[in-house]
Structures are given as C-alpha cells and as structure tokens.
Amino acid sequence: MKHLLMTASPTLAQYWQRTLSSGAAVLAAGLPPGSPSSDTMLWLDLASLTPEQRGADWAGLCRHYRVLALTSMPDDAEGMRWLQLGAAGYAHAYDGEAVLRQVAATVEAGGTWLGRSLLLQLCQRFGSLVPDAAQADWRRQVSPREAEVITTLKKGYSNKEIARELDITERTVKAHLSAIFQKFNVEDRLQLLLKLTQPAH
C-alpha cells in the first residue's frame, strides 16, 4: 500500500516516514492529488488543516483513500465525526512507532483503528442494541460464563473491568474473548457486538 503524508510539520513528516520505513510522499500543502486510489493510505495531520481544507469533501475522499486521521489532542467526539465521514482510523499523531506501525497494519488489512476510549464508547452504544442473554439467539452458542462476558462487553467494559466484575483474571477474560470471537467469526469486540445486533437468519 502507498502512503501519503499530509502535514505542514516537517518534524511530524520525518517521524511518520521513519515509522513507516518507506518512501512515503509528503503533501506539505493542499489536498491529495486528483487520482485517488483505494490502495493509498492518507496520513492526515488534523492540526495542519486550514479552514478551507476542513470544509473539503472528506466523505468523498474517505471513499477513495484509506484516511487515517491523526491529532496530538485526541477527542472522542472528533474521532466519532471522522469515523462517520468514513475514516479508516483515528489515533494520536505522536504515538510510539510500534503503535503507529500497528495502526497502519490494521488499516492496510482493511480494519478500522480506534483509540481505547472511543472503542469502549462505541461498544457501549452498540451493546445497548444487543438482545439480553435470556431470550437471545446468541445465548445458545456460548457457555454460561461466555454469556456473562458478553453481558459485560455490552456495558463498554475494558478487560480489566470485566475481570473485576466477574472475579476472574485478565488472562481468563482474554481466553473467553478469543473463544467467543472464534465462535462468531469476528476479529474484535466491536465486530462481535455489531453482529449480535443483527437478527438471526
């Protein structure tokens, strides 16, 4: 996948280039070129956007690029707006190199990257739409303990909070989550909750 770095900060551009270890092109000014490609990831420094650029057709651009919105001051509401526009990810612009490489790998693989706080917030939002275990079709596919784990996921709980709520270790929580994800053929908790909101066929 090609990488375009849209930032007015030479320091940030160098940091991203070093992180990627590739010849990523830097857009110091202006919007991406007029030949969009879905195999191009656009690293977007939100702090560098001019008022005119902020008013651009980002929903359209997000359909043609894998847009990664990055900021030095992450905010859940802002992250939600960019995800609704179609961004493939929202993250801290100066996250560690290992984290940013993980972000890039997730987006390249077709996934979406969310910060922890935003992820748990979305889990709580979609979790409220998941039917209760007692009368739900999904209940028949899991063990009683796995059902309890799903019930806590619906509240937007982190692994640590789930462990505390169910009086088990975080390692056990991770083991239950892995088993649940495998049963429902999903990659993460958000995909799971979205799937559980859908009526059984």
Side-chain angles (χ1 to χ4, degrees), residues 1 13 23 30 39 42 47-48 51 55 62 68 100 102 117 119 131 139 143 148 165 167 175 178 181 186:
M1 179 170 277
D39 71 344
L42 176 63
S48 291
C62 286
L68 182 56
L100 287 177
Q102 187 179 0
S117 173
L119 172 62
R139 178 63 185 82
S143 71
E148 290 177 341
E165 176 85 1
D167 196 24
S178 294
F181 296 162
V186 295

Side-chain angles (χ1 to χ4, degrees), residues 14-94:
Q14 289 173 4
Y15 180 61
W16 287 349
Q17 284 181 312
R18 188 171 69 245
T19 297
L20 291 167
S21 302
S22 67
V26 180
L27 299 171
L31 293 170
S35 53
S37 170
S38 59
D39 71 344
T40 299
M41 190 185 309
L42 176 63
W43 292 57
L44 179 62
D45 175 17
L46 298 181
S48 291
L49 291 178
T50 65
E52 182 182 354
Q53 290 169 340
R54 285 190 175 277
D57 179 18
W58 284 106
L61 287 165
C62 286
R63 285 193 294 271
H64 297 294
Y65 294 96
R66 299 288 288 162
V67 174
L68 182 56
L70 297 138
T71 176
S72 59
M73 297 177 61
D75 174 78
D76 286 351
E78 179 183 57
M80 192 72 77
R81 284 195 300 273
W82 279 97
L83 292 171
Q84 288 170 338
L85 286 171
Y90 179 78
H92 198 297
Y94 291 93

Side-chain angles (χ1 to χ4, degrees), residues 116 120 152-153 156-163 170 173 189:
R116 179 179 177 277
L120 296 179
T152 56
L153 281 183
Y157 282 13
S158 66
N159 286 1
K160 183 178 290 187
E161 290 169 329
I162 292 171
E170 283 190 65
V173 172
R189 64 187 66 208

